[in-house]
């Protein structure tokens, strides 16, 4: 089925102002200085949980090379969020950790110093009465118990003992089928791991020279250049199979934010670059809209003032904070798109998933997923999963919320030859990362 036909099918099934799971599927507004493609669409969830909620909890954004791709992307984001809010008691076992379980500690929690400083989360132990859900470990396919609080997107959790850290959507993904959903979730985990290790350790990135051909991003970068917007592409350090790219846009017009980023992760370098630049294109209009409504300069004066998810890009939109990125540009390494290894064009999503899982397990991670597709969504075809890759550094939002209880954050830069010795926790970059 074509993307256009699939988008029309899902729209007919899900979107209705009167009785739909989604109240609206509409193009995202943006100014004439923004390129097209990418196409940008939004999907607004209804109050399915019988409570009023701010638009930020209901609005889901999608992007794509065509209108149909963008619509499917927005619908997928909405389906993902909707499914993840449905905690299923019938699937939950409560008790101590079973042998072989992937535990909250395996997913990187907080350090002793953080707990001593007064975190609002209980310290987890193997004896804690924890809510567990059965997932699937890869590549073996064996069942494995996973912490339910880190699977669902429910906060606060039904049981206070499960609320061992802030709940985020890291590793949550929807896809047209199970393989694509799992691959999307793992890409996100790997992308955020690379971002957090790079940012917290202040590691220099590899500059990717602006491509002239070979990806859709090339034309977008040229488009922005005509409006005085400089886009730089950075490859972040990782030991995983995909390439992780950060696209950084510097804007001469303060009303659009002095600096905005987008992230992308893919086995195909062109795909990673396009994803990063597409996300950049998606972020710029929404950031400009927020800046028009609320000037953050008086509120976000210090690192500690960054409290909410949306504060992160707002902090870096302020011209006075541009120097926070200097370490990223301090390296001398450069690369060209045409020189980066490309995957086999005949590779299937299953092939890609196998390669990503193999590299993750080779780095010491245990890889698993839990499928949590809502029962009313499953007959439509899309699948929703939460993915796990133990030890990878999770993203966090807000001052004081960093998860510094794992060793990878500190040891990986040394293994990769980017530091002579691990940083101490107190030496980590205190500046909040720029991603929302």
């Amino acid at each position: 089925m074509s993307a256009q036909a699939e988008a029309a099918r899902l729209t007919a099934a899900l979107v209705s102002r009167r009785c739909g799971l989604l109240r609206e599927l509409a193009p995202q507004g943006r100014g004439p200085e923004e390129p097209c493609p990418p196409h940008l669409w939004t999907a607004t969830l209804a109050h399915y949980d019988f409570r009023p909620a701010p638009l930020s909890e209901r609005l889901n954004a999608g992007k794509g090379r065509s209108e149909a791709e963008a619509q499917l992307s927005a619908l997928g984001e909405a389906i993902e969020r909707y499914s993840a809010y449905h905690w299923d008691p019938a699937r939950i076992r409560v008790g101590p950790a079973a042998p072989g379980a992937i535990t909250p500690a395996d997913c990187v929690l907080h350090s002793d110093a953080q707990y001593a400083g007064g975190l609002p989360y209980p310290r987890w132990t193997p004896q804690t009465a924890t809510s567990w859900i059965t997932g699937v470990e890869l590549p073996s396919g064996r069942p494995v118990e996973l912490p339910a609080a880190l699977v669902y997107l429910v906060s606060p959790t039904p049981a206070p003992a499960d609320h061992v850290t802030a709940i985020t959507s890291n590793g949550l993904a929807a896809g047209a089928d199970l393989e694509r959903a799992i691959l999307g979730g793992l890409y996100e985990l790997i992308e955020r791991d690379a971002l957090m290790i790079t940012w917290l350790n202040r590691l220099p990135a590899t500059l990717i020279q602006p491509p002239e051909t070979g990806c859709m991003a090339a034309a977008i970068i040229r488009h922005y250049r005509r409006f005085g917007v400089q886009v730089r592409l950075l490859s972040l350090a990782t030991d995983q199979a995909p390439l992780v790219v950060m696209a950084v846009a510097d804007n001469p017009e303060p009303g659009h934010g002095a600096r905005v980023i987008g992230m992308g992760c893919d086995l195909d370098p062109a795909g990673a670059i396009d994803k990063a630049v597409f996300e950049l294109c998606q972020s710029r209009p929404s950031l400009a809209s927020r800046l028009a409504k609320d000037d953050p300069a008086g509120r976000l004066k210090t690192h500690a003032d960054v409290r909410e998810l949306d504060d992160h890009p707002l902090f870096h939109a302020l011209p006075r904070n541009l120097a926070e990125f200097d370490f990223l540009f301090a390296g001398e390494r450069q690369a060209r798109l045409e020189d980066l290894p490309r995957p086999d064009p005949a590779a299937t999503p299953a092939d890609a998933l196998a390669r990503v899982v193999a590299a993750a397990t080779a780095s010491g991670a245990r890889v698993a997923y839990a499928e949590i597709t809502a029962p009313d969504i499953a007959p439509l075809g899309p699948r929703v999963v939460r993915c796990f890759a133990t030890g990878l550094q999770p993203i966090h939002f807000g001052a004081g919320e960093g998860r510094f209880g794992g060793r990878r954050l500190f040891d990986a830069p040394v293994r990769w030859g980017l530091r002579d010795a691990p940083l101490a926790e107190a030496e980590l970059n205190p500046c909040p990362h720029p991603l929302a």
Side-chain angles (χ1 to χ4, degrees):
M1 184 182 296
S2 69
Q4 187 173 6
E6 178 68 357
R9 183 182 72 87
L10 291 177
T11 298
L14 296 172
V15 182
S16 168
R17 284 191 173 275
R18 289 188 175 183
C19 57
L21 173 61
L22 297 168
R23 296 179 59 248
E24 184 179 59
L25 180 66
Q28 178 180 335
R30 49 182 164 171
E33 71 282 356
E34 297 301 324
C36 186
H39 295 267
L40 306 177
W41 280 68
T42 60
T44 306
L45 282 162
H47 292 313
Y48 59 87
D49 50 359
F50 304 103
R51 67 178 180 89
L55 184 61
S56 61
E57 286 191 30
R58 304 304 191 201
L59 191 67
N60 303 271
K63 51 196 177 293
R65 292 168 171 79
S66 66
E67 284 200 351
E69 280 190 15
Q71 290 166 354
L72 287 171
S73 175
L75 290 167
E77 292 289 330
I79 289 169
E80 172 188 315
R81 180 179 292 195
Y82 171 70
S83 294
Y85 272 102
H86 284 72
W87 181 283
D88 185 355
R91 297 181 64 183
I92 303 299
R93 177 188 76 84
V94 178
I102 289 179
T103 70
D106 294 329
C107 302
V108 184
L109 295 176
H110 304 281
S111 68
D112 290 341
Q114 289 178 291
Y115 286 115
L119 281 174
Y121 311 112
R123 189 190 287 261
W124 184 86
T125 72
Q127 290 73 44
T128 300
T130 303
S131 299
W132 303 95
I133 184 172
T134 300
V136 178
E137 187 160 5
L138 298 175
S140 68
R142 291 191 295 266
V144 61
E145 286 199 325
L146 305 168
L150 301 183
V151 170
Y152 292 104
L153 203 57
V154 177
S155 181
T157 53
D162 287 322
H163 202 186
V164 293
T165 192
I167 306 301
T168 75
S169 62
N170 201 30
L172 191 63
D177 53 41
L178 190 58
E179 287 172 343
R180 288 178 174 86
I182 298 168
L183 188 59
L186 292 177
Y187 277 158
E188 183 168 274
L189 291 174
I190 292 165
E191 173 190 292
R192 272 75 186 284
D193 170 74
L195 170 64
M196 298 311 296
I197 291 174
T198 294
W199 190 265
L200 290 168
N201 284 279
R202 297 189 183 92
L203 301 179
T206 298
L207 179 67
I208 301 174
Q209 296 177 9
E212 293 299 325
T213 60
C215 61
M216 294 190 73
I220 295 171
I221 292 170
R222 289 194 295 270
H223 172 95
Y224 276 135
R225 195 179 296 143
R226 291 195 291 271
F227 289 88
V229 178
Q230 179 190 21
V231 178
R232 285 175 281 187
L233 303 174
L234 302 175
S235 172
L236 305 189
T238 182
D239 56 1
Q240 302 301 303
L243 182 73
V244 178
V245 174
M246 176 190 288
V248 183
D250 290 340
N251 196 333
E253 174 52 54
H256 289 271
R259 178 167 285 160
V260 189
I261 75 154
M263 295 292 300
C265 178
D266 203 286
L267 288 171
D268 181 1
I273 290 171
D274 279 347
K275 285 180 179 179
V277 173
F278 278 24
E279 185 170 277
L280 177 70
C281 295
Q282 186 180 54
S283 299
R284 279 173 48 86
S286 59
L287 182 63
S289 176
R290 289 199 295 272
L291 289 170
K293 296 174 184 175
D294 174 32
D295 182 1
R299 181 171 61 86
L300 302 178
K301 295 180 179 179
T302 70
H303 299 157
D305 294 327
V306 174
R307 294 291 180 185
E308 307 294 336
L309 180 146
D310 285 340
D311 289 344
H312 285 256
L314 287 172
F315 181 85
H316 291 283
L318 300 172
R320 68 188 182 214
N321 296 325
L322 288 174
E324 300 284 9
F325 274 66
D326 285 354
F327 68 88
L328 282 169
F329 306 120
E332 298 180 353
R333 297 181 183 177
Q334 295 194 18
R336 300 188 308 166
L337 172 60
E338 53 265 36
D339 295 332
L340 297 173
R342 307 294 286 268
D344 181 354
T348 65
D351 296 330
L353 179 58
R355 184 178 166 194
V356 170
V357 170
T361 55
S363 72
R366 291 178 66 188
V367 177
Y369 72 90
E371 185 188 346
I372 54 171
T373 314
D376 52 339
I377 297 297
L380 297 175
R383 291 294 178 263
V384 178
V385 299
R386 173 78 82 160
C387 292
F388 291 76
T390 61
L392 267 62
Q393 182 61 33
I395 197 166
H396 66 271
F397 299 100
E401 293 288 345
R403 290 160 65 173
F404 302 151
R407 287 306 313 169
R408 178 176 169 85
L409 171 64
F410 302 94
D411 296 339
V414 180
R415 289 199 304 271
W416 301 343
L418 299 174
R419 283 208 176 274
D420 294 329
L423 294 182
E425 184 177 326
E427 297 176 300
L428 294 173
N429 187 359
C431 178
H433 64 79
L435 188 65

